[in-house]
């Protein structure tokens, strides 16, 4: 499935945040603890995600929601689902990050203030972790800022370490970029090409490109790390697919990463369920949100006849469609739309009504799609439901929430009426995008 190249790395740059320590040593092959009798216990491989709370570029970046999931959740899901690790850890100094990590099923190492400074390196934090966990033989340091990581990548790297005897393996990506020497200001020099002949510029398809570290992960054995290296000994790179090589450092990276993760991210191994119930908010979704009042004080609403056709098609395909509104809409007016849908108006607790409909139809939450404003759910989520609230999608200030919706949910609608059209087409499979799982979302912070 993935195109992977493996080989010994002859010259590599240091991991981000690490000072240069010279050329990594070539290590002697030895077994930790010596040669024991009987069956040798397999080495303990631990995934370790470093996530301190003091991010300067983007405050609390590690738990900021990316495409509806806390950033760190994307790599935790990949690590846990890979089955490649005996344990999965998050090293943090922040309570909120700890809570999110535990919600995804990771263990938490509370790092000391000494390795939580702006000047602290990744290696400092990893060594501290090893000092507290003598059982760990190999560390897979996974970057929280690489949300498109897939379990298959981690499985293959674990095999390289365990079966092929590598001391360290790190991720790279192939780039087709021409490099030129930098000229300092005030210096009269001319730039020189570093990796091409300008007289014979190759076409992309005629050039293999070059390998660059993409920062997704660094795997290394304990004895190498304790010597002060994440890369050394018998060393190899693992080439990741370009579409999976996403890194987030500054604000401008965020929207790009969101588009990429919706299209190429890993959404879990759980089999998707078909949508059986679509609940649509009336105001601003079915209608354009405008209310016209006649001279005799009667309300007049407008809607797009294409939506009515779409709803009819959904019902013919076996999807139940129901309407809901917080406002005291006139049922007589709504019935004149001839949508033949069950509807409830003057509803302050929409979640309770949707939950009642779900139970009435014998559905789980993953078979329910909701289109509307999430802040209406902010207080009413029950504890049992919050357990199921795992993923959500956050375009702009509101949410198209559904059990699963087309990957083109990254589409930013000009209005919620256009969102309804898009959701209808997605459910009718009129678009050829892959489907991603999103649960009904409750914004408890709204």
């Amino acid at each position: 499935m993935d195109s992977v190249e493996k080989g010994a790395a002859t010259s590599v740059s240091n991991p981000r945040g690490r000072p240069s320590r010279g050329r990594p040593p070539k290590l002697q092959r030895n077994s930790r603890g010596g040669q024991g009798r009987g069956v040798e216990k397999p080495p303990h491989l631990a995934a370790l995600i470093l996530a301190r709370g003091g991010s300067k570029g983007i405050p609390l970046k590690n738990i900021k929601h990316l495409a509806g999931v806390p950033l760190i959740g994307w790599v935790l899901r990949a690590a846990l689902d890979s089955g490649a690790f005996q344990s999965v850890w998050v090293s943090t100094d922040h309570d909120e990050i700890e809570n999110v990590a535990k919600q995804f099923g990771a263990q938490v190492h509370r790092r000391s203030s000494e390795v939580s400074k702006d000047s602290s390196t990744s290696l400092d934090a990893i060594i501290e972790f090893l000092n507290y966990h003598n059982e760990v033989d190999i560390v897979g340091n996974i970057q929280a800022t690489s949300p498109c990581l897939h379990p298959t990548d981690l499985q293959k790297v674990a095999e390289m370490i365990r079966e092929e005897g590598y001391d360290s393996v790190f991720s790279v990506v192939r780039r087709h970029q021409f490099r030129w020497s930098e000229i300092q200001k005030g210096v009269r020099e001319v730039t020189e090409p570093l990796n091409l002949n300008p007289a014979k510029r190759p076409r992309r398809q005629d050039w293999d490109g070059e390998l660059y570290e993409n920062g997704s992960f660094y795997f290394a054995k304990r004895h190498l790390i304790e010597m002060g290296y994440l890369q050394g000994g018998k060393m190899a790179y693992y080439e990741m697919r370009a579409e999976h090589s996403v890194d987030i450092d500054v604000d401008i990276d965020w929207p790009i990463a969101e588009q990429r993760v919706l299209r190429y991210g890993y959404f879990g191994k759980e089999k998707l369920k078909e949508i059986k119930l679509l609940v649509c908010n009336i105001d601003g979704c079915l209608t354009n949100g405008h209310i016209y009042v006649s001279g005799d004080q009667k309300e007049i609403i407008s809607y797009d006849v294409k939506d009515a056709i779409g709803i009819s098609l959904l019902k013919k395909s076996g999807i139940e469609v129901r309407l809901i509104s917080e406002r005291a809409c006139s049922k007589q007016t709504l019935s004149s739309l001839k949508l033949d849908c069950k509807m409830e108006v003057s509803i302050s607790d929409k979640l309770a009504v949707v939950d009642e409909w779900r139970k009435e139809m014998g559905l789980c939450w993953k078979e329910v799609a909701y289109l509307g404003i999430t802040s209406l759910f902010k207080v009413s989520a029950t504890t049992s439901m919050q357990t199921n609230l795992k993923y959500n999608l956050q375009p702009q200030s509101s949410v198209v929430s559904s059990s699963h919706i087309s990957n083109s949910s990254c589409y930013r609608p000009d209005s919620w009426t256009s969102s309804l059209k898009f959701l209808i087409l997605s459910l009718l499979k009129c678009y050829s995008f892959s489907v991603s799982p999103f649960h009904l979302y409750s914004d408890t912070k709204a």
Side-chain angles (χ1 to χ4, degrees):
M1 195 166 113
D2 289 354
S3 174
V4 179
E5 292 188 26
K6 294 180 263 188
T10 57
S11 177
V12 297
S13 58
N14 289 320
R16 294 175 297 170
R18 270 195 61 202
S20 176
R21 296 174 182 263
R23 188 175 180 80
K26 291 188 177 181
L27 304 175
Q28 298 293 324
R29 302 267 65 78
N30 57 12
S31 175
R32 186 174 172 227
Q35 297 293 331
R37 294 182 178 179
V39 179
E40 187 178 350
K41 186 178 180 181
H44 184 117
L45 173 55
L48 179 63
I49 296 94
L50 305 178
R52 72 186 185 99
S55 174
K56 297 299 181 185
I58 306 174
L60 284 180
K61 171 177 66 178
N62 293 306
I63 55 173
K64 180 178 177 181
H65 280 213
L66 178 77
V69 178
L71 178 60
I72 197 173
W74 291 100
V75 294
L76 283 174
R77 185 191 299 142
L80 289 162
D81 285 358
S82 72
F85 304 98
Q86 276 89 340
S87 58
V88 176
W89 294 84
V90 171
S91 171
T92 187
D93 60 336
H94 198 279
D95 291 342
E96 286 187 56
I97 296 175
E98 177 178 355
N99 291 336
V100 171
K102 288 180 176 178
Q103 287 171 11
F104 275 85
Q107 300 180 71
V108 173
H109 168 76
R110 287 296 296 215
R111 67 164 75 175
S112 68
S113 58
E114 290 300 312
V115 296
S116 301
K117 302 173 184 176
D118 292 341
S119 58
S120 300
T121 67
S122 297
L123 189 59
D124 293 334
I126 295 170
I127 290 175
E128 182 198 69
F129 169 80
L130 286 176
N131 288 338
Y132 282 89
H133 298 280
N134 293 324
E135 76 280 5
V136 175
D137 301 295
I138 309 166
V139 172
N141 175 214
I142 302 172
Q143 303 284 353
T145 53
S146 300
C148 280
L149 187 63
H150 281 240
T152 50
D153 296 319
L154 300 173
Q155 291 164 356
K156 291 172 183 176
V157 174
E159 183 180 343
M160 292 172 71
I161 291 275
R162 286 176 171 142
E163 306 298 330
E164 300 179 38
Y166 287 103
D167 295 304
S168 60
V169 181
F170 55 95
S171 58
V172 299
V173 64
R174 189 172 298 276
R175 303 289 189 201
H176 292 77
Q177 297 173 332
F178 296 130
R179 294 181 291 109
W180 294 76
S181 62
E182 184 176 355
I183 303 301
Q184 301 297 325
K185 289 184 178 180
V187 178
R188 293 190 176 183
E189 294 180 1
V190 293
T191 187
E192 296 289 340
L194 298 178
N195 65 345
L196 81 152
N197 179 355
K200 297 180 180 179
R201 290 177 63 92
R203 299 182 304 166
R204 180 185 176 91
Q205 58 266 40
D206 296 330
W207 182 41
D208 290 337
E210 296 180 328
L211 297 177
Y212 292 81
E213 287 188 29
N214 67 359
S216 286
F217 52 76
Y218 299 89
F219 281 58
K221 292 183 177 178
R222 172 185 277 268
H223 55 264
L224 183 65
I225 296 171
E226 289 176 341
M227 293 174 65
Y229 297 96
L230 284 176
Q231 294 161 306
K234 184 181 177 182
M235 188 165 43
Y237 60 76
Y238 176 90
E239 184 178 347
M240 289 179 60
R241 292 167 56 174
E243 59 267 32
H244 293 169
S245 296
V246 177
D247 190 28
I248 301 173
D249 280 322
V250 293
D251 278 333
I252 196 171
D253 295 331
W254 205 269
I256 298 170
E258 188 168 47
Q259 304 288 322
R260 292 275 291 277
V261 78
L262 284 168
R263 189 170 181 86
Y264 300 114
Y266 172 70
F267 293 92
K269 58 186 177 181
E270 190 175 351
K271 188 177 180 181
L272 301 178
K273 291 183 177 290
E274 291 291 327
I275 291 293
K276 301 291 180 62
L277 170 64
L278 168 62
V279 179
C280 178
N281 194 55
I282 295 172
D283 304 308
C285 295
L286 177 65
T287 71
N288 61 9
H290 297 164
I291 300 173
Y292 306 94
V293 181
S294 64
D296 55 357
Q297 297 186 346
K298 290 184 178 179
E299 288 187 358
I300 302 171
I301 58 174
S302 65
Y303 76 104
D304 193 330
V305 68
K306 294 177 183 176
D307 290 336
I309 295 172
I311 288 173
S312 176
L313 290 172
L314 285 178
K315 294 177 69 175
K316 287 179 181 178
S317 69
I319 298 175
E320 176 77 8
V321 181
R322 297 188 180 185
L323 307 176
I324 196 167
S325 176
E326 187 177 23
R327 206 168 52 83
C329 308
S330 167
K331 284 195 173 183
Q332 184 177 358
T333 302
L334 293 173
S335 64
S336 65
L337 302 180
K338 298 181 180 179
L339 297 176
D340 192 27
C341 295
K342 185 172 182 176
M343 62 186 73
E344 292 290 344
V345 299
S346 302
I347 302 299
S348 57
D349 189 352
K350 293 184 181 180
L351 181 59
V353 174
V354 176
D355 194 22
E356 184 181 334
W357 285 344
R358 176 188 68 83
K359 292 175 181 176
E360 171 192 313
M361 295 179 65
L363 305 178
C364 67
W365 280 113
K366 294 177 188 178
E367 297 171 299
V368 179
Y370 174 82
L371 181 64
I373 311 300
T374 55
S375 60
L376 299 172
F377 288 145
K378 62 184 178 182
V379 180
S380 54
T382 62
T383 303
S384 59
M385 181 183 172
Q386 285 174 339
T387 304
N388 293 320
L389 303 180
K390 211 168 187 179
Y391 317 120
N392 57 73
L393 180 65
Q394 292 185 297
Q396 298 175 354
S397 60
S398 302
V399 173
V400 180
S401 303
S402 70
S403 307
H404 49 247
I405 185 174
S406 144
N407 262 344
S408 291
S409 300
C410 54
Y411 161 78
R412 307 285 182 171
D414 294 326
S415 68
W416 284 106
T417 51
S418 55
S419 288
L420 176 58
K421 292 179 180 63
F422 204 76
L423 180 56
I424 288 172
L425 290 170
S426 298
L427 294 177
L428 288 172
K429 299 179 176 59
C430 294
Y431 288 118
S432 58
F433 300 103
S434 59
V435 177
S436 310
F438 292 99
H439 292 210
L440 193 62
Y441 171 60
S442 172
D443 186 356
T444 57
K445 294 184 179 180

